[in-house]
Amino acid sequence: MKKFALLFLALLTVLIPTVAALSTASAAPASFNDPNFQVIWQRQDQPVQVDPNAGHSWTWGPTTISNSPSTESYAGGMRVVQYYDKARMEVNNPNGDRGSLFFVTNGLLVKELISGLRQDADNTFTPFTNGSANIPVAGDPNDSTTNFSNPAGPTYASFKNVTTFNNDHTAAAAADGTAINASIDLSGTIGTISPPAPVKVVANKYDSVTQHNMVDVFVNFMNQTGEVYDNATQKLVQGPVYVNDVYRLFVFGRPISEPFWTTTKVAGTVQTVLVQMFERRVLTYTPTNPTAFQVEMGNVGQHYYKWRYVANNPNPTPTPTPIPTPIVTATNDYSQFRAPYNKSGNIPTGNTTAIDFNAASAIHTSPLVDATSNLAVFGSDTRGVFGIDITTSSQRWRYAPANVNPTPNFSGTPMLYKGVIYLGANNGRVYAINESDGTQKWISPAAGAAVTGVPATDGTNIYFASRDGVVYAFDLATGQNSQWQYNTGAEIDGGPILGADGTVYVGTNAAAGNNALYAIKNGIKVWSRTPNLANDGFLAQPALAPGGSVLYATTIKGAVYAINIADGSVKWTNPLTVAAPGYAIGTTPAISSFGLFVGSDNGSVYLLDLNNGGANATWKVTLPAGTVVRSSAAVVDGVVYFGADNGKVYGFDATDSTKQKLQATTTAAISYNSPVVNNGALYITSTDGHFYAFK
């Protein structure tokens, strides 16, 4: 990522004039709707356009789709878009950092085409009128342009029951070199064939997040070198076409199906083609094609445009439908479990404080930031709950329950769901507060002790944990009518995590021992897993990526665990800071494409391998002696952000821990207060009672 970031910044320093030395073989887009679109398009596709010996096929496509829109509604506003044959580029936040690779995003069009759900905001999905797309994923169209001559080619709809959206339809890791002979037909029926060419699984490219295998022809395609356009020198040079793993995720996304052989018509001729679905792309392998074009990107941009703007009503009324259902947590980004993330994170180096709001009461919770409403919400120890306008730095509202003296200590981090804030307090109650004006909606019955962590919801029930050792499920609409309770018998300090199938995961941390991680569904224990060391416990909330199959948890004696959620078996464990003198780990692991980031009481932040738990030998941040890190990290746009008890907020390059991106100073310890990076700013609270924003 570091090397590409430097290259990408270099690319942005010069917007490309016409280069006389390059002849034009086919038309590039006549114009680009955003300058960054041009920079991204040119790296891979300029060589294909001008040089028949470029050595690779199109990534985006030679032309944009005629009459396609330049803007689309998204999240209550408008975003800039551009459709190409093989993808769509989009800018969701025009005020974001143009130096970031992810200033431009590459839509998850394949997921939408297969699911039949159009994404209209981070958590808003609108069903397409005609459901999943009945458009062939490879080969000729089956419409009037080809006289409906490709009726047997599998369509996006054919893949609906073999594609992973919600931890479903996954596959076990196949042995290295396993030959691919599975096939799929128009009906979605899986069979086996005698393949026209040997294609084999690459074992170390099994994607543990979506749980799908990748094969040699596609891995080689992603890792290929060839001619690329260097914007800085305005020349064609030899280099990696897709740079590194981060860039490959940007272009392709993760695999969401296994590879299947299909039979379809290509240029009027029946061909056997290998096809695999990725989040952003369809990859095809046609053994009879010329070598440089055996692997190609499917025409996803064309297909999506046709499906959205021709086959379906172009402007249906959005219907909020959270995906996956139930909601996994109160978040859209799995490294920031406490608040939504608007994918515009890079914060300038420095110590510029845009907001410093004094709540006049200690704050031990992390903030919730809703950039669409320009609002931050946090609880305080003695003065209730605050709603702060993040554009004016002013208090928009403050909530303290009437006729309650003293005001409860709001020790739980807030959750936002459909315009209502939910958070717990030390009096054992959960409070529901209207986001718009801070008025009370309901108060739950009292648990036996303080409510800890952030609640979770599936849209029907609200789930929370208490230091009395009980996990509670109440009716979300009223806060009453207990649906179920489960007593772990030991203190719970971190909040629950809600899995995609409705299972609640929580850890206990009683001083007397008898601690475990629990999986609870409908009030019944599915499994429990005790730590390896006696009297060890789980202090922080565990972490589970949306749709993920592995739960990550840290312990008070310094171990990190990866637990398979299916049966509670241990995938791996790392006694990270257990060795004498021993240091506790009180942070929730931050799951990211780089690995697992974990902070410790020894003042260090570590990067662990998601697959085996091994510590990265070259990435470790060590703060001055005596510093404690219990502020869980947020990993955004290649930067790891966290606070420490020395009152400082840090940001380090996720690929190079020697590169410090941010150091900002507050006036008191940052304890369990964790940063939220949202809409181009970093927000954090402190035990001095201040709410800070660094922009």
Side-chain angles (χ1 to χ4, degrees), residues 117 122-125 319-328 417-418 457-459:
L117 297 171
D122 284 354
N123 280 317
T124 302
F125 293 79
T319 302
T321 305
I323 297 289
T325 300
I327 294 170
V328 177
Y417 181 72
K418 290 189 175 181
T457 184
D458 56 11

Side-chain angles (χ1 to χ4, degrees), residues 539-540 553-560 574-590 596-608 615 619-633 640-646 648 650 670-672 674:
L539 175 63
T554 57
T555 76
I556 200 67
K557 288 196 172 183
V560 184
N574 184 337
L576 190 62
T577 58
V578 169
Y583 290 93
I585 301 178
T587 58
T588 293
L596 202 69
F597 290 94
V598 176
S600 167
D601 281 11
N602 67 4
S604 294
V605 179
Y606 301 84
L607 172 59
L608 305 184
W619 203 101
K620 179 183 175 183
V621 170
T622 301
L623 301 180
T627 307
V628 171
V629 177
R630 289 202 172 180
S631 170
S632 302
V640 184
Y641 300 99
F642 59 91
D645 72 342
N646 61 3
K648 297 185 184 297
Y650 298 92
I670 297 172
S671 180
Y672 295 98
S674 296

Side-chain angles (χ1 to χ4, degrees), residues 434-634:
N434 291 306
E435 181 189 21
S436 59
D437 57 8
T439 56
Q440 178 181 299
K441 183 178 180 182
W442 54 251
I443 304 175
S444 75
V451 173
T452 55
V454 58
T457 184
D458 56 11
T460 301
N461 298 325
I462 184 168
Y463 305 92
F464 58 92
S466 167
R467 287 202 172 100
D468 63 3
V470 179
V471 181
Y472 296 86
F474 280 90
D475 175 65
L476 178 67
T478 65
Q480 311 300 307
N481 305 322
S482 175
Q483 305 303 300
W484 55 259
Q485 299 180 18
Y486 181 85
N487 190 349
T488 66
E491 181 174 306
I492 301 173
D493 289 313
I497 289 289
L498 183 63
D501 65 349
T503 302
V504 174
Y505 303 94
V506 71
T508 64
N509 186 44
N514 301 317
N515 293 308
L517 283 172
Y518 288 86
I520 306 159
K521 189 169 185 179
N522 297 324
I524 300 171
K525 183 178 77 171
V526 179
W527 53 257
S528 62
R529 173 58 56 184
T530 57
N532 293 340
L533 298 175
N535 297 319
D536 201 2
F538 300 94
L539 175 63
Q541 183 180 30
L544 176 69
S549 61
V550 179
L551 187 75
Y552 300 94
T554 57
T555 76
I556 200 67
K557 288 196 172 183
V560 184
Y561 289 84
I563 305 295
N564 294 305
I565 64 172
D567 57 7
S569 60
V570 176
K571 181 178 181 180
W572 54 256
T573 182
N574 184 337
L576 190 62
T577 58
V578 169
Y583 290 93
I585 301 178
T587 58
T588 293
I591 309 169
S592 77
S593 59
F594 305 96
L596 202 69
F597 290 94
V598 176
S600 167
D601 281 11
N602 67 4
S604 294
V605 179
Y606 301 84
L607 172 59
L608 305 184
D609 188 290
L610 287 167
N611 293 312
N612 58 33
N616 187 295
T618 62
W619 203 101
K620 179 183 175 183
V621 170
T622 301
L623 301 180
T627 307
V628 171
V629 177
R630 289 202 172 180
S631 170
S632 302

Side-chain angles (χ1 to χ4, degrees), residues 378-463:
F378 54 86
S380 70
D381 282 8
T382 61
R383 299 195 65 234
V385 183
F386 289 82
I388 306 300
D389 191 305
I390 58 178
T391 58
T392 64
S393 308
S394 61
Q395 178 181 307
R396 193 179 294 177
W397 51 257
R398 181 170 73 90
Y399 166 79
N403 304 317
V404 177
N405 189 18
T407 298
N409 175 337
F410 285 91
S411 51
T413 290
M415 175 191 73
L416 171 65
Y417 181 72
K418 290 189 175 181
V420 180
I421 304 290
Y422 303 88
L423 76 169
N426 68 340
N427 61 4
R429 299 181 187 272
V430 172
Y431 292 77
I433 304 164
N434 291 306
E435 181 189 21
S436 59
D437 57 8
T439 56
Q440 178 181 299
K441 183 178 180 182
W442 54 251
I443 304 175
S444 75
V451 173
T452 55
V454 58
T457 184
D458 56 11
T460 301
N461 298 325
I462 184 168
Y463 305 92

